[in-house]
Amino acid sequence: MYRISAVCTGNICRSPMAQFCLVRAFENAGLGTAVEVTSAGVTAWEAGRPMDDRAKSELLNHGFPAAGIEAFRARAFEAEEFARLDLILALDNGHLQELQDRAPTEADRDKVRLIRSFDPAAAGVPQEQLGIDDPWYGDMGDFDSSYALISAAVPGVVQYVAAALDSSSGTAR
């Protein structure tokens, strides 16, 4: 099992959108049983709360099932997760730095990547410009933009994980 967590500030906007997009993409790629995707916040500010209504609306507009969205509850990223995760997707540079600073080992630090670093259209863009701004402070247009940036990175994440799974099993895709 390959384990991924998407991480933003409070786990009510960007990281749950990334989680739902990734789960769907891995299922569509036939990897749903080989990959586990979760999400978390670098803070516990929103722990136990449902997803932001605007993030819910964005996901519903893109055909995600209401039951899963309604069942979602925010949680904080815990230090022990480093040991069990294979890939940690930070949604902005602040999250990237926070997670890398918390990583107990260099190997754990290397697991932390910006989600947009997997977007081929972002190749050559300086790292400091790869973050996805927090839509919580904005309107639905900001949620649309966040969703679009997340969605653009998802195929690259799927390709990366598929290659990692292939190399660990010694098979070619």
Side-chain angles (χ1 to χ4, degrees):
M1 179 71 65
Y2 194 97
R3 292 175 175 84
I4 302 170
S5 188
V7 182
C8 69
T9 305
N11 191 219
I12 60 168
C13 298
R14 292 167 288 177
S15 59
M17 286 195 292
Q19 176 184 344
F20 279 81
C21 289
L22 287 164
V23 166
R24 177 193 279 177
F26 284 116
E27 287 172 358
N28 290 343
L31 297 171
T33 60
V35 181
E36 174 187 277
V37 183
T38 60
S39 63
V42 292
T43 71
W45 297 341
E46 304 290 348
R49 293 190 178 160
M51 195 182 310
D52 182 281
D53 286 339
R54 296 162 296 175
K56 286 180 191 177
S57 292
E58 189 66 31
L59 290 173
L60 290 170
N61 288 341
H62 290 280
F64 289 88
I69 293 167
E70 290 301 326
F72 179 86
R73 291 295 176 265
R75 64 182 197 81
F77 186 86
E78 302 292 338
E80 55 272 4
E81 292 183 69
F82 281 106
R84 72 170 194 80
L85 291 168
D86 300 293
L87 180 62
I88 303 165
L89 298 170
L91 275 289
D92 72 24
N93 282 290
H95 308 134
L96 177 75
Q97 189 63 56
E98 175 79 20
L99 290 161
Q100 288 177 335
D101 288 348
R102 289 187 197 179
T105 68
E106 193 61 34
D108 290 328
R109 183 179 166 84
D110 290 342
K111 295 175 184 179
V112 184
R113 303 264 310 266
L114 280 168
I115 193 168
R116 285 204 56 224
S117 69
F118 290 95
D119 179 357
V125 173
Q127 180 178 313
E128 60 273 6
Q129 295 175 18
L130 290 178
I132 298 174
D133 292 335
D134 193 345
W136 191 84
Y137 298 100
D139 58 21
M140 271 315 292
D142 297 295
F143 282 82
D144 293 340
S145 296
S146 293
Y147 182 88
L149 292 171
I150 291 165
S151 294
V154 166
V157 175
V158 172
Q159 183 179 13
Y160 175 85
V161 172
L165 288 168
D166 285 346
S167 69
S168 70
S169 69
T171 62
R173 240 182 218 279

